Amino acid sequence: MALPSPQFQARVKSVLSGDTLVLLAPTGKSTRTLSLAAISAPRMSSASTSAEPHAFASREYLRKLVVGKTVRFSVLYSVPGKAGNREYGVVMLADGSVLPDAIVAEGMAKLRDGAEKRGEAGVGELVERLEGAEARAKSQGKGSWATDGEEAACERDLGADPKAFVEEWKGKAVESVVERVISGDRVVVRMLLEKSRHVQVTVLLAGIRAPGTARTNQSDGTTVAGEPLGEESQAFVEERLLQRGVTVRVLGLSPQGVLVGEVRHPVGNIAEFLLQQGLARCVDHHSTMLGAEMGKLRQAERTAKEKKLGLYKAHEEKRSTGAESEAVVSRVFSADTLFIRNKNGVEKRVNLSSVRQPKPTDPKQSPFGPEAKEFLRKKLIGKHVKVNIDG
């Protein structure tokens, strides 16, 4: 079928529920919320309300169908509301399928009560089609018409014992959906732990720090300015991950109790792509969690530095602060710190670049501290070494 005129084109940024889309203008600078005409889908949960049966399945059906795709749409009518007029319309996908027809045919939404009473052009014809599609879906027990309509419970935090959650899921790749992008290194994901159990939490991307975005100070309502390239970093992640299916590999907790993880979309680790574009920097806080993966992140950062991208636009390769010097290792203080003595007998403390000893306060790492220190002692104590000071 052909869409009524006028027709518009946009890219689907996200879906709020099984009947409402957020559309991004071709310029990429403005959004528009469009509800699909004449239908009603089950409501998703919020901080104060529970989800209706089949709500997540309905939202997921529409999400997988349209998010990230360019569509054509027409507005059939609008309804006044507190936040302005709410627009209702129809959408056509690239393959010619039309919404809301396809949604109702799968039982993922139902015909809205009183829809047939609207007199706007095109609505009557639409309602006739939807009545037939709904009758077929109902007879076949599809979607919302199925008898097993229990909605998965979605928790909004890690529970009373976040450490226990991390211990249970550490190292596992959990299928998830990115619900919100807070900044380039922080996203809100819905983790699909089990068929009947989901949890929606903030995840800190392991191994990187992205520039901060503008935020509102909750104490006095003032706006705190964002850092340079903060908006660009957020937009980079949002364009690729918002409402996309990802896997989250749980790694640990930050000192503030935020879940730390590796977020992968089908192409790879999003942190690595951020670093390649110069939209984030490597941090060593999570190097022990990431293991060998940290090397890949450092290589990605190095690529951005060489190409002078993003945060490294004015980057100059770090030069040694002095000529290479020779010394003797006199003491080993820890697995990452030692003392060297030059030919004049002057002793100096030196920290090894880009490494960190096993964390003494971490029960899982601390047992390896003495072993790591002994390894370094056997290798270096009393040996003549060449030293370059990085900074």
Side-chain angles (χ1 to χ4, degrees):
M1 61 161 284
L3 294 182
S5 296
Q7 297 179 14
F8 305 94
Q9 184 170 294
R11 185 169 64 84
V12 181
K13 179 179 180 180
S14 61
V15 296
L16 304 181
S17 64
D19 61 9
T20 304
L21 303 80
V22 177
L23 304 173
L24 188 65
T27 59
K29 294 182 179 179
S30 61
T31 60
R32 184 175 188 171
T33 300
L34 180 73
S35 295
L36 297 172
I39 68 168
S40 178
R43 298 295 96 187
M44 294 286 289
S45 65
S46 66
S48 58
T49 61
S50 299
E52 296 177 357
H54 300 285
F56 182 68
S58 175
R59 201 287 299 264
E60 282 296 275
Y61 176 80
L62 185 58
R63 179 187 71 80
K64 293 176 180 178
L65 197 62
V66 300
V67 167
K69 297 179 181 177
T70 299
V71 299
R72 288 187 294 129
F73 69 97
S74 296
V75 177
L76 298 185
Y77 59 90
S78 60
V79 176
K82 292 181 180 179
N85 290 344
R86 183 171 181 178
E87 296 180 321
Y88 292 82
V90 290
V91 173
M92 180 175 283
L93 307 185
D95 63 2
S97 56
V98 177
L99 307 176
D101 301 53
I103 298 172
V104 174
E106 291 299 321
M108 293 300 175
K110 298 179 180 180
L111 194 61
R112 184 182 291 274
D113 292 338
E116 72 282 353
K117 297 178 182 178
R118 299 205 66 89
E120 288 86 351
V123 177
E125 179 187 347
L126 173 64
V127 170
E128 285 183 18
R129 293 200 313 270
L130 295 181
E131 285 175 339
E134 184 179 70
R136 288 188 293 273
K138 186 175 182 179
S139 65
Q140 296 169 16
K142 286 186 173 182
S144 299
W145 302 107
T147 55
D148 55 343
E150 186 178 350
E151 184 71 8
C154 185
E155 303 158 17
R156 295 275 170 170
D157 54 42
L158 297 177
D161 190 354
K163 290 184 178 179
F165 177 91
V166 170
E167 288 303 311
E168 181 182 358
W169 296 97
K170 192 169 186 177
K172 297 177 182 177
V174 182
E175 295 296 323
S176 308
V177 178
V178 176
E179 299 290 355
R180 183 183 164 209
V181 178
I182 300 173
S183 63
D185 59 4
R186 203 173 293 249
V187 295
V188 176
V189 301
R190 180 167 177 148
M191 302 176 70
L192 315 181
L193 304 177
E194 300 166 1
K195 186 176 180 180
S196 60
R197 182 193 172 202
H198 300 169
V199 59
Q200 186 165 311
V201 292
T202 300
V203 174
L204 187 63
L205 302 187
I208 67 168
R209 184 193 180 281
T213 54
R215 58 186 176 83
T216 302
N217 192 326
Q218 298 299 324
S219 60
D220 55 13
T222 58
T223 299
V224 180
E227 298 174 316
L229 295 181
E231 300 296 330
E232 290 83 348
S233 179
Q234 180 195 34
F236 182 89
V237 177
E238 191 170 76
E239 182 180 351
R240 289 156 179 80
L241 292 193
L242 181 62
Q243 286 213 325
R244 305 306 208 284
V246 298
T247 57
V248 175
R249 185 164 70 96
V250 178
L251 298 176
L253 286 173
S254 74
Q256 295 75 33
V258 179
L259 193 67
V260 178
E262 185 182 75
V263 178
R264 287 184 173 272
H265 58 69
V267 182
N269 185 355
I270 188 64
E272 194 172 336
F273 291 104
L274 268 172
L275 290 167
Q276 286 174 354
Q277 297 301 316
L279 296 175
R281 300 180 189 275
C282 277
V283 294
D284 291 328
H285 311 314
H286 309 138
S287 56
T288 53
M289 297 180 185
L290 284 164
E293 289 296 318
M294 193 68 204
K296 296 180 182 179
L297 299 186
R298 289 198 178 101
Q299 179 56 49
E301 183 184 53
R302 198 173 299 120
T303 299
K305 288 179 178 179
E306 291 170 354
K307 295 181 178 180
K308 298 185 183 298
L309 298 176
L311 296 168
Y312 304 104
K313 206 164 190 178
H315 174 75
E316 294 293 338
E317 286 296 325
K318 187 181 286 186
R319 301 178 183 276
S320 177
T321 56
E324 182 179 80
S325 61
E326 293 189 1
V328 174
V329 178
S330 56
R331 284 189 289 156
V332 174
F333 181 77
S334 65
D336 60 4
T337 305
L338 46 86
F339 289 83
I340 58 173
R341 185 180 293 117
N342 64 18
K343 60 183 179 181
N344 296 322
V346 178
E347 196 171 60
K348 183 177 185 179
R349 176 173 170 152
V350 174
N351 294 91
L352 299 179
S353 296
S354 301
V355 297
R356 175 186 283 184
Q357 69 166 330
K359 197 172 181 180
T361 56
D362 187 333
K364 288 196 171 182
Q365 296 182 35
S366 58
F368 298 98
E371 184 178 347
K373 177 183 176 182
E374 182 63 10
F375 174 85
L376 194 64
R377 187 190 69 80
K378 288 181 177 179
K379 288 282 186 182
L380 294 181
I381 197 71
K383 302 286 181 65
H384 289 267
V385 294
K386 293 181 179 180
V387 182
N388 279 306
I389 304 299
D390 287 339

